[in-house]
């Protein structure tokens, strides 16, 4: 799945008159086909986000994959711009996602928070979650500004039994996707017979008749 991305990143950067030094590490990692089939869209959104928000005129973007026991860790890293959390809060207040009192509380906590959703503070997690609900782009482009890209990343990865983490510091931003190597959960129809419950995979069901 990684093979399609070098050209995509190059074309996106060219459209914005930017130069992206794009590297890939770990493309030999193998995943369950079901995971692979659904992973493309989240990675496209993250790489678009890195080009659009993560670099100025030039910058480095890295896509990495590594295996860790029974899971795979995929990271999209940009060296350059960090997330402007204050702007995220201001946009959320303006759009009515949070009220001004909550926004002021979040603003006061930015300095104490490590700007990473790995951090344990509830406020930190709440600030990080705002990023999935707003777009800080002033104008809508072909690649961003609609405020839905990162929410798609979160929903798809979580539906696969995975997690998304965000780290943003002065030197750049890192999105980490933690995924199972294989899907332990499949979509199924649950049927109760007497005191037993059976799970029938959707792929094996033609129709359901009362």
């Amino acid at each position: 799945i990684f093979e399609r991305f070098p050209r995509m990143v190059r074309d996106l950067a060219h459209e914005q008159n930017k130069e992206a030094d794009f590297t890939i590490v770990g493309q030999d990692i193998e995943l369950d086909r079901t995971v692979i089939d659904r992973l493309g869209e989240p990675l496209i959104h993250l790489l678009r986000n890195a080009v659009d928000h993560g670099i100025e005129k030039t910058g480095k973007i890295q896509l990495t994959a590594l295996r860790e026991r029974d899971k795979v860790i995929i990271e999209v890293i940009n060296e350059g711009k960090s997330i402007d959390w204050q702007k995220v809060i201001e946009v959320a207040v303006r759009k009515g996602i949070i009220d001004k009192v909550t926004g002021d509380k979040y603003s006061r906590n930015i300095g104490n928070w490590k700007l990473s959703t790995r951090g344990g503070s509830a406020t930190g997690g709440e600030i990080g979650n705002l990023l999935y609900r707003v777009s800080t782009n002033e104008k809508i482009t072909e690649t961003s500004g609609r405020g839905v890209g990162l929410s798609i990343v979160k929903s798809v990865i979580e539906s696969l039994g995975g997690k998304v983490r965000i780290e943003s510091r002065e030197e750049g931003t890192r999105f980490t996707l933690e995924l199972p190597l294989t899907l332990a959960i499949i979509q199924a129809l649950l049927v109760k017979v007497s005191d037993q419950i059976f799970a029938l995979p959707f792929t094996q069901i033609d129709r359901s008749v009362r």
Side-chain angles (χ1 to χ4, degrees):
I1 195 174
F2 281 7
E3 293 176 359
R4 73 178 80 168
F5 296 132
R7 180 170 181 173
M8 186 196 84
V9 170
R10 186 179 68 244
D11 290 347
L12 286 172
H14 180 72
E15 288 171 10
Q16 299 185 37
N17 296 315
K18 296 180 178 180
E19 287 187 20
D21 180 3
F22 182 54
T23 57
I24 294 177
V25 178
Q27 63 194 80
D28 55 333
I29 298 290
E30 293 184 351
L31 276 171
D32 187 296
R33 169 58 62 183
T34 309
V35 178
I36 288 287
D37 288 344
R38 299 194 60 196
L39 193 56
E41 189 176 19
L43 288 179
I44 288 172
H45 282 294
L46 288 177
L47 289 169
R48 283 178 170 175
N49 187 72
V51 173
D52 203 43
H53 295 282
I55 61 175
E56 298 280 3
K57 288 298 181 183
T58 61
K60 293 182 179 181
I61 298 173
Q62 183 171 318
L63 175 62
T64 69
L66 62 94
R67 184 168 177 170
E68 194 175 276
R69 294 183 182 176
D70 58 346
K71 59 190 175 186
V72 66
I73 308 297
I74 298 174
E75 294 183 327
V76 176
I77 307 162
N78 69 263
E79 294 181 16
K81 294 172 67 178
S82 59
I83 296 170
D84 186 344
W85 292 105
Q86 182 57 46
K87 189 172 184 180
V88 171
I89 293 168
E90 290 171 359
V91 172
V93 171
R94 191 166 70 241
K95 290 181 177 288
I97 295 171
I98 57 175
D99 57 38
K100 192 174 185 309
V101 173
T102 304
D104 290 342
K105 182 182 74 172
Y106 287 174
S107 295
R108 288 193 299 271
N109 278 279
I110 287 178
N112 301 323
W113 184 41
K114 294 182 179 180
L115 303 187
S116 164
T117 52
R118 284 185 178 180
S121 93
T123 303
E126 290 165 10
I127 297 172
N129 285 332
L130 288 179
L131 197 64
Y132 300 111
R133 304 175 65 189
V134 305
S135 172
T136 55
N137 258 23
E138 295 299 331
K139 62 180 181 179
I140 292 176
T141 68
E142 284 300 309
T143 59
S144 67
R146 294 172 178 81
V148 296
L150 292 180
S151 65
I152 289 174
V153 173
K154 183 177 172 66
S155 62
V156 171
I157 297 305
E158 289 182 350
S159 73
L160 292 170
K163 300 175 183 176
V164 184
R165 295 196 301 264
I166 310 166
E167 289 181 271
S168 189
R169 306 182 189 279
E170 290 182 5
E171 62 271 18
T173 301
R174 177 194 308 259
F175 284 88
T176 302
L177 312 179
E178 185 179 298
L179 289 158
L181 284 171
T182 58
L183 285 182
I185 300 173
I186 58 172
Q187 290 186 312
L189 175 68
L190 299 181
V191 181
K192 187 172 184 180
V193 180
S194 186
D195 60 346
Q196 285 187 292
I197 295 177
F198 299 88
L200 307 178
F202 279 175
T203 54
Q204 303 301 313
I205 297 173
D206 179 59
R207 60 186 173 142
S208 177
V209 181
R210 185 178 292 277

